[in-house]
Amino acid sequence: MHKQNYQDLLALVQTPTQYLGNEINAVKKDPQQVKMTFALVFPDLYEIGTSHFGLQILYSILNSHANIAAERFFTPAPDMEAYLGEKNIPCLSMESQKELKSFDIIGISLLYELNFTNILTLLSLSQIPFYADQREDIFPLIIGGGPCAFNPEPLADFFDAFVIGDGEETAVQISHQVIEFKKQGDGKKKTLLRLLSKIDGVYVPSFFEPEYDEYGIQTLTPVFEDYKKVKRAFLPDLTRDSFPTSPIIPFAKPVHDRLRLEIARGCSRGCRFCQAGMIYRPVRERSLKDLIKITRTSLKTTGYSDISLLSLSTGDYSNLTQLIEQLLNLGQGHCNAISLPSIRAEKLTPQLMNIIKKVRKTGFTIAPEAGSQRLRDMINKNLTEDSIAATVENALNLGWKNIKLYFMMGLPFETPEDIDAICTLSKRLASAYAKGKKILNVSVASFIPKAHTPFQRCAQISLDETREKLQYLKNNLRHPKVNLKWQSPEMSMIEGVWARGDRKLSKLLTAAFENGCRLDGWTDKFNFSLWQKAFEQTGIDPLFYTTRERKNEEVLPWDHIDSGVLPDFFKKEFQKAKDRSLTPDCRENDCTGCGVCDFKAIKPVLHDIKTDTGKTDQMARIIMKSLPDDAFKKFEITFSKLGPARFFGHLELGTIVQRAVTRAGLNAKYSQGFNPLMRLSFDNALPVGMESEEETLFLYLEKDLSPELIEKQLNKELPQGIHITGCKPYNKFIKKRAQASRYRIGFKDVCIEPEKIDRFLNLSEFMIEDLSKKGKVRKTDLRKSVETISFIDDHTIEMVLKKYNERNVRPTEILTKYFRLEQDVITSARIKKRKQG
C-alpha cells in the first residue's frame, strides 16, 4: 500500500527522479533471501548524498556479500516531506521501497553538523523513536559514522553505536556479528552491543555514563573496565577490492556528476586547524597500476566522460603526471575533463603543465587560509605569498578562467592586520593575473575549532565579531576582478556549537527539529530564529560551546575517542603555533611524532615515482578507437518512454542515452573542439511526467553496425521504462509526413463530463495568449489545434492534437485553459502519447 501511494506522490513533487531508485548499477536484492538488511542513510538531499564517495564504497562492499542487502535513503526535499507526513507514508528505500524501520541496521553518514536535524526528519517520518533508550526492540540498530563521529557526544543519546575511522572492514564485521547474533544470540540488545564493542572502531555510548560538574563540564565514566577508550579503525592499504568499480549513476542533477577516483586517503601537511588532516592519517596512496585498472573498468560500467581525482591533497600524489597522462589515453579524446581541485606551484612540473593544457578545466581552488605570512606560519600552512602568486599565475596561464581563493577569519592569534592582509593579497593577485574575463572568487568562512586538532581548545569568535570582520572585508575588498563570497556567520555559529558539543545538546536538537529546522546546511533553508528559539526553550547557552576557551586540564567530551594522534602532539603543535614554528611534511621529511603509525600494520603507503610507464601505457590502451568522420552514419532510432521513465526531463534523457551508448561499446561520432559532444538529437522534447509509446532520436554511429545490434546493445544499458523499439539508417530523402499526435489521459477521479467535451468540439475557435520563450506575446487557437477529443470512460479521455502555426500544443494546455482543471489534478493524471498509426 505504501509503495503505491509513494509512487503516486512522484507526479506531485519537484525533481521526481531523485526518488525513483532504478538507477544504472543500483543493486536490488530480495530482502527475504538475505540474512541481514543494512540501510545506508545520507541525511541530506539526493543530489548531495548520491555524490558522496564514502556511501558508494559501503554500498559496493556490503552488497558484494550475498547474504547482505544494502539499500539507500536520503533526506526528502521539503515538498516530499510534507506529502509523506500528510499521507502518513514512511521513508522507503530507493531499491525496494522497504520501510526504514524494518531494516536490521540503519547506518547514518555524519559528514556535516548542519545535517543533524535531517536525521530526526528521517526517523520521525519512519515513526522510529529518537532516543536510543526509547527503542526497546533490538532492531533496527542505529549506527553513525564519518568525520562528525570523532566527537559523537552531541548525538550519543540518539545512536546505539558509532564507527570511528575507516568503515570498509568495520561495517562488514558489524554485519557478520549481527547475522550471527540473529542466528544464536540471547535476544538482548545489551548483549549484542557488548559484542559489537569488541570490534575495532565501534563506540557504544550507553557503555559510558555522563556526569557534569558545577561548571557544566561533561565527564564520562566507563561501565566496563575493559572498555575505557575507543581506538579508531584503520584501513592499512587502499586496494582495488575496496573500490566501487560499478558506482550508481545518479539521476537528476548530482553535485558531482562524474567518475570519482580516490587516489589517496589522508594528508601529512599538518595544518593545525584541519580535522581531516589529523583523523585520516597516515597518507595511503593507491598504486598507479590499480588506478588505471579501476578507471578502465569504471568508464565502461558508467559511461562517464569526466573524472574527478579525490584526495585531501591531490597535487601531492606521487605519480600525478603519469596518472593524468594515462587517464587521457583511456578516453582518447572523450575523457572530456579531469577535475584537479588544486595543485601547488612547486608541483607543477613542465611535463605536468603540458598535460594539463589538454584537459578541459573545472574548478581550481587555492587555500591560503590566512592573508599574512605570520598567520600562515602559525597555522602551519607552509605556503608563501610567492608560492600562492605562482600557483594563481600558472593556473590562469594553463586555461582556468576562475580561481577560488579560500580564507578563514577568526583563526587563533589573528589580529586586525591579518584581516586586512586578506584584502591586500586578493587585490594584488587580481591586479597582477586576472586579465580579460578571468576572475578571482574569494571565499571567506569563520574558523570553527574541531575535535582532534591542535586548536581544539581554542575559542571561536563571537557572532558580533564575525559580522564585524565580514563587514570590513565587504568594505575593503573591492576590485573589479574579485567576487567576495562568504558563509553565513549564523550558520558557522551553529556548526561551532555541535562541533565541540556534549550530550546536553540532544534536547537542543529535538527542540530545533520540532521548531521546524530542516536542511540547515542550505542557505535558503537555514532559519537562525528557529535555533535561537530552541536555545531559549532548552536553556542552553551557545557561547558555552563556542567562545569559551578550554583550559589544558579540562576534560574534553571526545577524550575517550582515540584518533591515533597523541594528545601530547596536539599540545606541542599548539605551542609551536604560538612560537610561529613550522612542522614539516613527514612524507618528505623525518617522522613528526604524531603517534598514528606503528610502522608495522599502520604506516604511510607511498609509491615510487614511475619514470618508465611502458607497461602502464600498454595497460591503459584506449577504450574507444578514434575513427575519421566518414566512418560514421546517422541512425534513426525509435524508443518508448513509459512508467518511471516519464519523469526524466529532456536534458536528463539525453545524458542517459549518451552514457548508455558508451556502456554499450558503440562508437559514436563526436563534435570537434575542446569539449567534444556526442552527435545526438531528439525529434521532440516530451514534458516531464508524460509517457510515450514511440519517440525518435538520431545518433551518428559506425556505419558498419547493424541496426539489430544497436537495438540489442542499447536495450541492455537503458534504465527501466526506456526501450528501443526500432533502428534504421536515416534517409534524408524520405520526409516525414506531419501527423497528428494521439494522447490517452487517465484521471484518478471523475473530472470531465462528455457534455463539456462536446461543447468544446462545437466551438469555431478558442483563442489564448501566452509568452513565447523569447518573451513575445503569441496567440494560439486551441480549437484548431485539436482534431478530436473522445470520452472513453469516467476516468479516461483521448485527445488528438495537430500542430498550430508550427507550434506543438500539449494536452495540459487544453485541460488548463478550457476545462479549467486544477493543477494537482493535471499533475497526477497519467498522460500517454500513443504510437503513430
Side-chain angles (χ1 to χ4, degrees):
M1 187 63 163
H2 286 319
K3 283 187 184 182
Q4 185 55 53
N5 292 338
Y6 185 79
Q7 293 296 321
D8 291 342
L9 294 181
L10 298 185
L12 305 176
V13 298
Q14 291 186 325
T15 322
T17 50
Q18 66 181 304
Y19 306 108
L20 287 182
N22 62 335
E23 307 102 317
I24 297 296
N25 294 334
V27 179
K28 295 191 178 186
K29 298 182 180 180
D30 182 353
Q32 305 302 320
Q33 302 300 315
V34 297
K35 295 180 180 178
M36 199 209 71
T37 54
F38 202 126
L40 291 171
V41 175
F42 195 95
D44 206 335
L45 299 181
Y46 175 88
E47 62 197 84
I48 302 294
T50 199
S51 298
H52 182 241
F53 188 66
L55 189 77
Q56 291 271 26
I57 290 175
L58 292 178
Y59 185 83
S60 174
I61 288 174
L62 290 169
N63 278 315
S64 69
H65 295 263
N67 56 357
I68 301 172
E71 304 193 9
R72 298 162 297 142
F73 289 81
F74 303 97
T75 303
D79 58 347
M80 178 59 99
E81 182 193 345
Y83 281 122
L84 292 174
E86 178 189 326
K87 305 289 185 184
N88 199 28
I89 301 172
C91 290
L92 303 178
S93 66
M94 298 289 289
E95 283 74 9
S96 66
Q97 280 75 60
K98 179 180 165 71
E99 290 188 42
L100 180 61
K101 66 181 180 183
S102 68
F103 280 76
D104 295 317
I105 294 178
I106 297 174
I108 302 178
S109 298
L110 304 174
L111 267 79
Y112 183 30
E113 292 84 353
L114 294 186
N115 284 345
F116 288 175
T117 54
N118 302 336
I119 298 169
L120 300 194
T121 299
L122 289 153
L123 297 181
S124 176
L125 288 170
S126 304
Q127 299 180 345
I128 298 172
F130 293 163
Y131 291 89
D133 61 9
Q134 295 175 358
R135 298 191 295 268
E136 296 179 359
D137 295 334
I138 298 177
F139 303 112
L141 279 179
I142 298 183
I143 302 176
C148 292
F150 279 82
N151 176 23
E153 291 310 293
L155 296 175
D157 289 342
F158 304 110
F159 282 74
D160 296 303
F162 293 87
V163 172
I164 314 298
D166 298 321
E168 287 94 332
E169 294 177 349
T170 310
V172 175
Q173 289 173 320
I174 290 172
S175 299
H176 288 158
Q177 184 65 76
V178 167
I179 291 171
E180 186 63 24
F181 185 82
K182 287 175 70 177
K183 184 179 178 182
Q184 50 189 1
D186 64 5
K188 295 178 181 178
K189 190 172 190 176
K190 187 174 181 179
T191 304
L192 175 57
L193 291 175
R194 187 75 172 115
L195 290 169
L196 295 180
S197 72
K198 305 289 185 182
I199 299 171
D200 284 348
V202 174
Y203 167 51
V204 179
S206 61
F207 292 167
F208 291 79
E209 295 177 347
E211 295 177 357
Y212 303 91
D213 67 12
E214 58 185 308
Y215 304 106
I217 307 299
Q218 173 182 295
T219 56
L220 295 173
T221 303
V223 173
F224 299 102
E225 278 296 314
D226 62 347
Y227 190 58
K228 293 182 177 181
K229 283 255 182 186
V230 179
K231 188 169 178 62
R232 168 193 154 197
F234 287 89
L235 187 68
D237 198 1
L238 302 183
T239 64
R240 276 187 289 152
D241 295 337
S242 62
F243 195 98
T245 53
S246 297
I248 292 170
I249 315 302
F251 293 144
K253 294 181 180 178
V255 291
H256 297 300
D257 195 16
R258 56 179 73 96
L259 178 65
R260 284 149 295 168
L261 198 59
E262 186 190 30
I263 62 174
R265 191 176 300 179
C267 178
S268 53
R269 289 196 169 268
C271 299
R272 293 175 179 134
F273 58 85
C274 181
Q275 186 187 52
M278 298 295 165
I279 64 174
Y280 290 122
R281 293 182 173 208
V283 174
R284 289 146 291 165
E285 293 185 343
R286 289 189 198 275
S287 71
L288 178 62
K289 181 179 179 182
D290 278 357
L291 286 171
I292 296 303
K293 285 184 176 179
I294 286 167
T295 307
R296 182 175 176 78
T297 301
S298 298
L299 288 177
K300 284 183 176 181
T301 61
T302 61
Y304 280 129
S305 58
D306 294 354
I307 298 173
S308 182
L309 304 183
L310 301 184
S311 170
L312 289 173
S313 185
T314 302
D316 288 334
Y317 181 72
S318 299
N319 287 287
L320 184 63
T321 299
Q322 294 81 358
L323 175 62
I324 296 175
E325 193 169 31
Q326 298 301 327
L327 293 179
L328 288 173
N329 286 342
L330 279 173
Q332 190 66 71
H334 303 323
C335 177
N336 292 348
I338 297 176
S339 174
L340 297 168
S342 180
I343 302 178
R344 292 181 177 229
E346 63 269 23
K347 298 290 183 179
L348 283 169
T349 63
Q351 185 184 3
L352 180 57
M353 291 173 70
N354 223 23
I355 295 168
I356 290 174
K357 286 180 181 178
K358 304 174 186 176
V359 180
R360 180 165 63 86
K361 311 302 184 292
T362 54
F364 193 96
T365 300
I366 304 167
E369 312 292 357
S372 69
Q373 192 61 52
R374 179 193 73 88
L375 193 53
R376 282 196 295 276
D377 289 347
M378 297 179 91
I379 64 176
N380 205 48
K381 188 59 189 176
N382 280 307
L383 266 184
T384 65
E385 190 162 321
D386 287 344
S387 174
I388 295 166
T391 304
V392 171
E393 181 181 20
N394 285 330
L396 292 172
N397 288 340
L398 288 171
W400 273 278
K401 305 296 182 189
N402 300 310
I403 305 294
K404 180 180 177 181
L405 296 176
Y406 182 81
F407 294 97
M408 284 189 284
M409 52 187 177
L411 284 161
F413 319 111
E414 184 181 80
T415 66
E417 289 73 25
D418 295 310
I419 295 295
D420 189 62
I422 294 175
C423 303
T424 304
L425 176 60
S426 300
K427 289 190 284 190
R428 181 202 149 192
L429 294 172
S431 297
Y433 306 116
K435 307 298 183 183
K437 295 182 179 180
K438 296 173 181 177
I439 292 289
L440 290 187
N441 291 309
V442 176
S443 180
V444 182
S446 297
F447 163 68
I448 300 168
K450 294 290 176 95
H452 304 283
T453 67
F455 292 160
Q456 63 185 349
R457 294 181 180 272
C458 295
Q460 183 174 338
I461 60 173
S462 69
L463 192 53
D464 286 342
E465 193 177 352
T466 305
R467 290 167 175 160
E468 183 183 331
K469 291 183 177 185
L470 180 58
Q471 190 58 51
Y472 181 88
L473 291 171
K474 290 178 183 179
N475 293 339
N476 292 276
L477 186 45
R478 294 182 176 178
H479 190 284
K481 290 294 183 179
V482 172
N483 287 332
L484 177 63
K485 300 178 181 180
W486 57 90
Q487 185 181 31
S488 157
E490 293 78 13
M491 292 173 75
S492 295
M493 191 202 88
I494 299 299
E495 183 181 344
V497 169
W498 290 103
R500 295 186 293 171
D502 54 26
R503 296 193 189 187
K504 295 195 299 289
L505 293 183
S506 58
K507 60 183 179 181
L508 175 68
L509 188 65
T510 304
F513 170 77
E514 290 173 347
N515 290 342
C517 291
R518 304 286 192 278
L519 298 169
D520 298 295
W522 295 76
T523 306
D524 60 333
K525 305 290 191 305
F526 179 77
N527 188 330
F528 186 54
S529 65
L530 296 181
W531 280 100
Q532 289 176 306
K533 182 180 176 182
F535 285 120
E536 292 169 7
Q537 290 169 328
T538 56
I540 288 174
D541 179 7
L543 303 185
F544 177 81
Y545 298 99
T546 54
T547 60
R548 185 177 63 83
E549 186 174 329
R550 279 71 164 166
K551 296 178 180 178
N552 281 333
E553 61 271 17
E554 180 179 325
V555 176
L556 298 172
W558 52 88
D559 273 350
H560 58 303
I561 303 297
D562 181 0
S563 67
V565 181
L566 297 171
D568 280 349
F569 179 77
F570 291 141
K571 291 176 184 177
K572 289 176 183 176
E573 283 298 295
F574 185 71
Q575 185 59 48
K576 290 176 79 173
K578 282 183 174 181
D579 298 339
R580 196 179 161 183
S581 174
L582 294 171
T583 298
D585 186 340
C586 67
R587 71 188 292 156
E588 296 165 351
N589 298 275
D590 293 336
C591 172
T592 58
C594 75
V596 165
C597 299
D598 61 10
F599 299 101
K600 296 175 184 176
I602 304 169
K603 58 186 176 181
V605 179
L606 305 173
H607 295 281
D608 294 335
I609 297 175
K610 304 286 185 184
T611 52
D612 178 16
T613 57
K615 290 183 179 178
T616 311
D617 281 332
Q618 186 179 3
M619 180 176 58
R621 58 190 180 278
I622 59 174
I623 288 177
M624 288 290 189
K625 56 188 177 184
S626 185
L627 297 172
D629 283 355
D630 60 5
F632 299 94
K633 70 180 175 185
K634 189 175 181 180
F635 287 88
E636 181 177 333
I637 299 171
T638 54
F639 65 96
S640 58
K641 184 170 176 271
L642 304 171
R646 72 187 185 277
F647 296 118
F648 295 135
H650 182 61
L651 294 178
E652 195 172 358
L653 180 62
T655 301
I656 288 169
V657 172
Q658 287 180 51
R659 289 175 179 163
V661 170
T662 303
R663 288 193 304 274
L666 301 175
N667 208 352
K669 185 178 181 181
Y670 283 76
S671 62
Q672 300 297 312
F674 206 49
N675 182 22
L677 299 174
M678 190 178 289
R679 294 289 301 276
L680 166 71
S681 61
F682 291 85
D683 188 42
N684 192 19
L686 281 181
V688 173
M690 184 182 290
E691 296 178 275
S692 178
E693 293 177 347
E694 186 174 87
E695 292 297 302
T696 305
L697 64 85
F698 303 97
L699 181 63
Y700 283 86
L701 296 169
E702 283 185 80
K703 61 185 179 183
D704 294 334
L705 291 174
S706 73
E708 294 77 19
L709 178 66
I710 295 170
E711 182 176 338
K712 179 182 176 182
Q713 293 301 101
L714 280 180
N715 275 329
K716 290 179 183 177
E717 303 298 337
L718 289 167
Q720 180 186 353
I722 300 177
H723 185 76
I724 305 299
T725 56
C727 177
K728 61 184 180 182
Y730 173 71
N731 190 333
K732 64 182 180 181
F733 299 108
I734 300 176
K735 296 294 182 183
K736 261 193 172 182
R737 185 169 57 86
Q739 289 183 295
S741 298
R742 181 182 298 273
Y743 300 89
R744 176 162 288 222
I745 306 165
F747 301 99
K748 290 185 70 177
D749 302 304
V750 178
C751 51
I752 296 181
E753 303 84 9
E755 295 77 17
K756 197 160 187 179
I757 294 174
D758 292 338
R759 284 197 295 273
F760 176 78
L761 294 175
N762 288 330
L763 294 174
S764 58
E765 67 174 16
F766 187 81
M767 301 297 297
I768 63 164
E769 287 187 0
D770 63 356
L771 293 176
S772 67
K773 290 181 180 178
K774 296 181 179 179
K776 293 182 179 180
V777 175
R778 61 181 181 182
K779 294 182 179 181
T780 304
D781 186 345
L782 291 186
R783 178 61 192 89
K784 287 188 173 59
S785 70
V786 176
E787 196 169 284
T788 187
I789 301 177
S790 304
F791 181 86
I792 306 301
D793 57 41
D794 287 342
H795 295 272
T796 313
I797 65 171
E798 276 205 353
M799 193 180 289
V800 181
L801 304 181
K802 53 191 176 183
K803 275 191 175 182
Y804 177 83
N805 288 344
E806 297 304 310
R807 182 182 167 222
N808 287 313
V809 174
R810 300 295 187 189
T812 50
E813 292 182 77
I814 313 294
L815 298 175
T816 304
K817 301 293 185 182
Y818 177 77
F819 290 100
R820 302 288 181 184
L821 298 187
E822 296 291 337
Q823 187 58 46
D824 60 339
V825 173
I826 296 173
T827 304
S828 60
R830 292 289 291 265
I831 303 177
K832 181 186 291 184
K833 187 179 175 186
R834 307 301 300 273
K835 187 176 179 179
Q836 294 279 6

